[in-house]
């Protein structure tokens, strides 16, 4: 199909200093959990984005010196010439696909703990970051930078920029954002210096200016020099010289960088979950930048709609459409727009599982795109899949995220697929969950798969069909996939975090009961030790129904795990806005006769509250009854011609939607595959090329 002419503007080339991007699609720097120990995975992951049409593809954060060490979080390094080869794999993969490669050079200043290098961190005035995320906490406070440190910083940046050039990068960054070192100079609360680097904004910004100058000098006109800067705090500060300190700063440095990459200041606002922020949420902070510079401007906003992108360009907000998450959810987003296939875009749902991967120090994962991070190690391509290796038919029982992804991927391979769904509508858990407050955008998991399945003639979906083991034997497909989901349990736990058994009785519910139409009466308590979104979302749902709600958790925070997905700060704000009473470090120990008994997790001190309903959001168990019933009848299976019965998704092991999608996809990839091809390749750092090794290679 031809591209819609309305979107032609997105495919105009953009000049960035000495280089030219082939279009306006810019995959911005973002952490992807791949360090220099995974150079092949990293190269293939970024090369795939370039193949999908992004005009520029950037690295994540790359440390310029061991004084900036974020271990155990996964950061890249460009500390010495040995690191060049690792990055060169990526630039080559990106160049092979006709895109430009950008590198985000980074110094963490007072925000890192230097656990690996054991060098004291440094910041402009010794001020530390007040981390609220345990991953970022530590006991090491930074030392004050002296003049020699400042000279060193400029040298490290220049050396790293020269190495970046040698590695083949086209765009080299100065990074003054997100609490990292140059950003620390910009804010007077971090920077209390009385020398030329403190005081007025011009002085506080001096280090950024000098970093830009040394970078320009180091790359000698061969690479563009980009400035990535966080403007949220600065925009909130009055200035005597301009509309805000952000305006003053951009005015001061207007045309010094070849590119402005503008963003917000902290991960939960910069990379806000869709539960709490819409597409384009950065605009009120960064909308002015283009009025003050002649250089191109790139920014992000979880853009997936080409019309919104065109709007950003035409309204003069951005020149380049930046994307981290949308480029993860669909590395082929630009090509799909180019080919008039925008309805095929696998839109990011804003769940931030990708970000949680970085916090977990593992390669990037995505709810929508199970192939991300698996390009090299499993050889999975987001748009291509091997054709069927046999004429087998597959029965998929259940149409939640696991069943749908499995059916779609098997269908694409060319298998005959039959999907049986007990309910009248497909979608599994998504049928209920996407109707809960803030989770509407998660419906894209279902919508995209439904749309893609409709294009396949070899996948039949039978709604309103609850299958028994006998039904399955009668249908006699070659392979049977059990994707029947899971059930929440009414389990309680002891202070030692071990189960104490089930609690039954009137007024006790699980999320399944509410999904099936139960209407708890108030006052209601939501007891959450699942720690993800379900507890707080249900609390909001019940409060919106006008009930008096109490939220109880043995963890230290509401939805404690969601610190990983950037949801936690807004979750606490939401609970407060709805007047929901919050009990942290607290267990439910009993519920009966209209009374709820709570105990402090550590002291066991008890408290009692009038309460008519209790919703327990904790343990889950897979619905694997069918699997058990079928595998207990091997002879019947044989007679029915059924070769395999496999559990996938929540039926196998209850998890988040990301786990279900991945599980369904993996089954489809691996059906009929050569057993030798299963598992995954192990990446390894490129070994240092010592003289002894060179000799060996020559001999060989
Ligand atoms: P997952 O997250 O693993 O995809 P879900 O709970 O979202 O699991 O979806 C499971 C789906 O399976 C639900 O839509 C449910 O109605 C369906 N289901 C459960 N048991 C049967 C059955 N015996 N026959 C057909 N469909 C079933
Ligand atoms: Fe978007 Fe979620 Fe995928 Fe991240 S994990 S790219 S937020 S869909």
């Amino acid at each position: 199909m031809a591209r819609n002419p309305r979107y032609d503007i997105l495919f105009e080339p953009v000049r960035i200093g000495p280089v030219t991007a082939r279009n306006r699609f810019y995959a911005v720097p973002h952490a992807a959990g791949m360090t220099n120990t995974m150079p092949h995975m990293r190269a293939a992951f970024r090369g795939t984005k370039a193949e999908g049409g992004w005009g520029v593809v950037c690295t994540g954060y790359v440390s310029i010196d061991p004084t900036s060490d974020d271990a155990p979080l996964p950061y890249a390094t460009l500390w010495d010439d040995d690191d060049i080869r690792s990055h060169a794999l990526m630039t080559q993969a990106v160049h092979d696909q006709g895109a430009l490669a950008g590198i985000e050079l980074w110094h963490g200043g007072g925000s890192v703990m230097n656990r690996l290098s054991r060098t004291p961190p440094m910041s402009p005035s010794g001020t530390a970051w007040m981390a609220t995320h345990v991953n970022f906490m530590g006991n090491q406070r930074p030392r004050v930078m002296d003049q020699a440190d400042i000279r060193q910083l400029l040298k490290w940046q220049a050396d790293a920029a020269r190495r970046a050039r040698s590695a083949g990068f086209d765009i080299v960054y100065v990074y003054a954002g997100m609490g990292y070192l140059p950003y620390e100079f910009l804010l007077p609360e971090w920077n209390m210096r009385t020398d030329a680097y403190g005081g007025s904004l011009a002085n506080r910004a001096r280090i950024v200016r000098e970093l830009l100058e040394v970078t320009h000098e180091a790359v000698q006109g061969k690479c563009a020099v980009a400035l990535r800067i966080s403007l949220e705090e600065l925009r909130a500060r009055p200035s005597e010289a301009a509309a805000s300190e952000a305006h003053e700063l951009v005015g001061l440095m207007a045309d010094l960088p070849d590119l402005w990459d503008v963003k917000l200041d902290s991960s939960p606002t910069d990379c806000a979950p869709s539960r709490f922020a819409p597409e384009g949420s950065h605009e009120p902070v960064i909308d002015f930048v283009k009025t003050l510079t002649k250089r191109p401007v790139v920014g992000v906003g979880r853009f997936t709609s080409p019309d919104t992108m065109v709007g950003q360009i035409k309204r003069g907000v951005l020149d380049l459409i930046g994307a981290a998450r949308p480029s993860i959810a669909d590395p082929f987003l630009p090509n799909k727009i180019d080919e008039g296939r925008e309805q095929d875009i696998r839109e990011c749902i804003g769940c931030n599982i990708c970000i949680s991967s970085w916090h977990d120090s593992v390669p990037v994962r995505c709810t929508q795109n199970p192939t991300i991070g698996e390009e090299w190690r499993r050889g999975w391509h987001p748009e291509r899949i091997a054709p069927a290796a046999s004429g087998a038919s597959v029965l998929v029982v259940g149409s939640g995220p696991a069943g749908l992804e499995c059916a779609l991927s098997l269908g694409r391979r060319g298998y005959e697929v039959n999907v049986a769904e007990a309910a009248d509508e497909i979608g599994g858990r998504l049928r209920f969950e996407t109707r809960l407050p803030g989770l509407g955008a998660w419906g894209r998991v279902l919508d995209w798969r439904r749309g893609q399945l409709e294009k396949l003639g070899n996948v039949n979906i039978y709604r309103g069909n609850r299958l028994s083991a006998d039904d399955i034997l009668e249908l006699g497909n070659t392979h049977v996939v059990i994707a029947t989901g899971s059930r929440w349990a009414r389990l309680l736990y002891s202070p030692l975090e071990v189960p104490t058994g089930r609690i039954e009785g009137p007024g006790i519910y699980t999320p399944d009961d509410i999904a099936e139409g139960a209407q708890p009466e108030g006052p209601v308590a939501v007891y959450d030790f699942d720690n993800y979104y379900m507890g707080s979302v249900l609390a909001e749902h019940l409060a919106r129904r006008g009930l008096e709600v109490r939220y109880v958790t043995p963890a230290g925070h509401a939805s404690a795990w969601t610190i990983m997905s950037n949801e936690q700060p807004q979750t606490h704000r939401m609970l407060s806005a709805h007047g929901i009473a919050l009990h942290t470090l607290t267990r439910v120990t009993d519920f009966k006769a209209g009374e709820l008994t709570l105990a402090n997790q550590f002291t066991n001190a008890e408290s009692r509250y009038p309460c008519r309903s209790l919703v327990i959001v904790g343990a889950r168990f897979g619905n694997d009854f069918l699997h058990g019933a079928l595998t207990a009848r091997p002879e019947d299976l044989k007679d029915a011609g059924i070769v395999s019965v496999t559990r996938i998704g929540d039926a196998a092991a209850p998890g988040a939607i990301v786990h279900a999608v991945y599980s369904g996809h993996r089954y489809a990839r691996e059906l009929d595959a050569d057993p030798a091809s299963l598992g995954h390749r192990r990446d390894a750092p490129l070994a240092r090329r010592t003289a002894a090794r060179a000799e060996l290679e020559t001999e060989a």
Side-chain angles (χ1 to χ4, degrees):
M1 266 188 292
R3 181 208 299 164
N4 184 330
R6 201 161 75 235
Y7 306 138
D8 284 352
I9 193 171
L10 300 173
F11 292 88
E12 290 171 352
V14 180
R15 192 156 180 83
I16 308 173
V19 297
T20 301
R22 62 182 164 184
N23 58 35
R24 295 183 188 269
F25 293 96
Y26 194 109
V28 293
H30 71 84
M34 296 173 204
T35 64
N36 283 26
T37 61
M38 302 169 192
H40 301 92
M41 280 176 71
R42 196 167 61 180
F45 155 68
R46 300 219 168 89
T48 304
K49 291 194 196 190
E51 186 192 347
W54 298 87
V56 180
V57 179
C58 296
T59 63
Y61 64 149
V62 179
S63 170
I64 57 174
D65 184 78
T67 51
S68 178
D69 140 31
D70 220 6
L73 287 163
Y75 62 102
T77 57
L78 196 43
W79 289 345
D80 54 35
D81 289 357
D82 284 322
D83 279 338
I84 293 174
R85 289 196 301 142
S86 168
H87 291 284
L89 285 182
M90 176 251 179
T91 57
Q92 190 179 339
V94 168
H95 290 160
D96 284 350
Q97 300 294 340
L100 300 177
I103 180 167
E104 183 184 52
L105 298 181
W106 162 80
H107 197 294
S111 75
V112 292
M113 290 293 153
N114 291 346
R115 294 176 178 95
L116 191 69
S117 62
R118 301 188 69 175
T119 13
M122 52 192 198
S123 76
S125 303
T127 320
W129 179 25
M130 189 198 76
T132 50
H133 186 321
V134 72
N135 274 11
F136 302 111
M137 291 177 194
N139 315 316
Q140 175 80 74
R141 300 291 170 254
R143 66 185 172 81
V144 180
M145 290 174 77
D146 61 17
Q147 293 291 333
D149 292 322
I150 289 179
R151 284 195 298 278
Q152 279 293 346
L153 175 68
L154 294 170
K155 182 176 178 310
W156 296 329
Q157 172 78 16
D159 288 347
R162 268 188 290 277
R163 290 185 195 113
R165 206 185 98 198
S166 303
F169 286 100
D170 308 286
I171 302 173
V172 179
Y173 270 73
V174 168
Y175 189 11
M178 307 287 280
Y180 297 133
L181 185 52
Y183 175 90
E184 292 165 13
F185 275 87
L186 294 177
L187 300 184
E189 292 78 7
W190 284 96
N191 177 357
M192 291 167 271
R193 300 178 74 92
T194 51
D195 62 5
Y197 293 90
S200 66
L201 182 65
N203 274 2
R204 283 181 268 135
R206 186 180 305 278
I207 195 74
V208 177
R209 170 180 290 281
E210 290 179 357
L211 285 165
L212 286 166
E213 285 166 356
V214 297
T215 309
H216 271 301
E217 211 177 293
V219 299
Q220 295 185 334
K222 299 279 191 318
C223 313
V225 176
L227 173 59
R228 189 170 222 208
I229 189 159
S230 294
L231 294 174
E232 200 177 355
E233 272 286 334
L234 289 169
R235 179 125 197 206
R237 284 165 191 269
S239 152
E240 284 175 11
S244 74
E245 284 207 343
H247 290 76
E248 189 184 341
L249 182 136
V250 176
L252 277 172
M253 269 181 265
D255 296 331
L256 190 52
D258 295 315
L259 171 77
W260 285 86
D261 180 340
V262 290
K263 64 187 322 226
L264 306 195
D265 297 38
S266 82
S267 196
T269 55
D270 186 63
C271 203
S274 61
R275 271 175 77 185
F276 303 106
E279 187 176 4
S281 63
H282 288 206
E283 188 174 329
V285 174
I286 58 88
D287 57 356
F288 71 94
V289 177
K290 258 187 69 59
T291 64
L292 297 175
T293 174
K294 293 197 280 297
R295 303 299 188 217
V297 177
V298 62
V300 295
R302 203 164 42 77
F303 298 120
T304 55
S305 149
D307 289 308
T308 308
M309 297 174 193
V310 169
Q312 292 284 311
I313 313 284
K314 289 207 166 150
R315 289 189 295 110
V317 183
L318 299 173
D319 298 292
L320 292 141
I321 301 300
R325 290 174 290 176
S327 72
I328 295 170
D330 197 339
F332 277 62
L333 180 149
N335 281 1
K336 288 177 183 174
I337 299 173
D338 194 21
E339 293 160 10
R341 298 196 295 126
E342 44 284 354
Q343 74 288 351
D344 288 339
I345 295 172
R346 194 170 36 225
E347 290 180 290
C348 165
I349 68 167
C351 62
N352 284 355
I353 283 292
C354 47
I355 296 169
S356 77
S357 317
W358 174 61
H359 289 143
D360 277 337
S361 301
V362 295
V364 64
R365 300 162 295 199
C366 171
T367 299
Q368 275 284 56
N369 177 9
T371 67
I372 205 78
E374 304 289 6
E375 300 84 354
W376 182 84
R377 64 172 206 164
R378 289 193 191 276
W380 291 1
H381 189 276
E383 301 298 313
R384 291 192 291 273
I385 190 161
S390 74
S393 65
V394 186
L395 173 66
V396 178
V397 188
S399 68
L404 285 179
E405 175 63 29
C406 184
L408 175 61
S409 300
L410 287 171
R412 287 186 162 167
R413 291 190 63 187
Y415 287 99
E416 184 203 324
V417 185
N418 299 299
V419 181
E421 169 53 57
D424 292 336
E425 276 309 318
I426 59 170
R429 62 193 284 183
L430 296 168
R431 285 192 300 268
F432 168 62
E433 293 186 14
T434 56
R435 295 201 312 271
L436 292 171
L439 298 186
W442 293 26
R444 292 170 171 185
V445 173
L446 171 57
D447 295 341
W448 183 77
R449 285 169 180 79
R450 184 176 16 223
Q452 298 298 306
L453 280 165
E454 278 165 8
K455 298 182 186 184
L456 296 176
N458 53 333
V459 180
N460 311 301
I461 300 180
Y462 302 96
R463 296 169 175 81
N465 258 284
R466 178 175 293 280
L467 297 186
S468 64
D470 286 337
D471 295 334
I472 293 171
L473 288 167
E474 213 165 288
L475 288 168
N477 290 262
T478 328
H479 300 284
V480 175
V481 178
I482 306 295
T484 46
S486 62
R487 295 290 292 178
W488 294 88
R490 288 171 170 74
L491 273 186
L492 293 185
Y493 282 71
S494 81
L496 295 178
E497 305 170 358
V498 297
T500 52
R502 287 172 198 269
I503 176 167
E504 300 289 351
I508 301 178
Y509 303 93
T510 69
D512 294 317
D513 300 322
I514 299 175
E516 285 154 16
Q519 300 268 353
E521 291 176 31
V524 54
V526 175
Y527 181 34
D528 181 10
F529 50 92
D530 172 60
N531 300 319
Y532 194 18
Y533 59 91
M534 183 57 83
S536 62
V537 168
L538 276 184
E540 182 178 357
H541 169 70
L542 295 167
R544 283 178 184 271
R545 273 186 42 209
L547 304 187
E548 183 188 332
V549 183
R550 198 172 289 287
Y551 173 94
V552 183
T553 178
H557 289 83
S559 292
W561 185 82
T562 64
I563 189 80
M564 309 299 262
S565 55
N566 287 351
E567 290 162 276
Q568 194 182 77
Q570 288 100 322
T571 294
H572 275 264
R573 266 174 238 140
M574 175 279 290
L575 293 174
S576 164
H578 286 283
I580 297 170
L582 174 62
H583 300 260
T584 54
L585 301 179
T586 305
R587 285 183 342 275
V588 168
T589 53
D590 202 6
F591 173 81
K592 61 170 95 75
E595 189 177 72
L596 175 75
T597 309
L598 305 180
N600 181 281
Q601 175 67 359
F602 300 132
T603 65
N604 264 332
E606 274 196 355
S607 51
R608 291 187 171 77
Y609 298 89
C611 186
R612 289 166 71 188
S613 311
L614 171 65
V615 182
I616 303 177
V617 187
R620 279 197 288 157
F621 294 96
N623 293 329
D624 60 356
F625 167 77
L626 281 177
H627 180 263
L630 289 167
T631 51
R633 296 165 65 178
E635 290 307 317
D636 293 345
L637 287 175
K638 209 163 152 197
D639 293 347
I642 296 175
V643 173
S644 73
V645 181
T646 310
R647 289 171 291 183
I648 62 166
D650 291 332
I657 299 169
V658 61
H659 301 112
V661 169
Y662 187 84
S663 161
H665 190 82
R666 185 167 174 191
Y667 175 90
R669 287 267 176 188
E670 296 185 349
L671 183 65
D672 291 330
D674 174 359
S677 72
L678 302 181
H680 60 76
R681 287 201 276 178
R682 284 177 63 195
D683 207 348
L686 299 176
R688 191 172 294 236
R689 203 163 187 284
T690 58
R693 194 189 143 99
E695 212 172 289
L696 274 176
E697 282 173 14
T698 321
E699 278 170 24

